[in-house]
Amino acid sequence: ENKSWIFKHTQEVGKLKASYNLNPSDPLRESQQIERIERLSKDAGLDQIFAKKILNFIISEVVKHHENLQK
């Protein structure tokens, strides 16, 4: 069940991770994405701390969904 269009694709990834018994979290990938959002927000003249907080929130929600799929 998809609760939000934002998580449409991450739900599919979560199902794949669950079916292959993979870790719901990927710390290396997450840190790469955080570095990317910091760079992009800086280049765009946006608040890097705010952008990082938003991405961290999204990552935590995605990981929670993936963990729930593994239960």
Side-chain angles (χ1 to χ4, degrees):
E1 176 182 317
N2 242 342
K3 295 184 179 186
S4 171
W5 64 269
I6 294 172
F7 298 106
K8 178 180 178 181
H9 298 290
T10 61
Q11 287 287 75
E12 294 304 314
V13 170
K15 290 175 187 175
L16 286 170
K17 284 183 175 184
S19 68
Y20 288 99
N21 200 29
L22 298 173
N23 191 336
S25 177
D26 184 346
L28 177 60
R29 174 85 172 132
E30 292 161 16
S31 68
Q32 291 170 338
Q33 291 305 310
I34 290 168
E35 289 174 14
R36 180 176 177 264
I37 199 72
E38 287 176 324
R39 186 178 65 255
L40 290 172
S41 60
K42 181 181 178 184
D43 292 348
L46 301 173
D47 185 336
Q48 291 174 277
I49 294 170
F50 182 69
K52 185 176 173 180
K53 284 181 181 182
I54 291 173
L55 183 57
N56 277 321
F57 172 75
I58 293 169
I59 289 170
S60 69
E61 288 299 305
V62 168
V63 170
K64 275 197 280 186
H65 287 151
H66 291 186
E67 289 169 342
N68 288 337
L69 289 168
Q70 290 192 342
K71 293 180 182 177

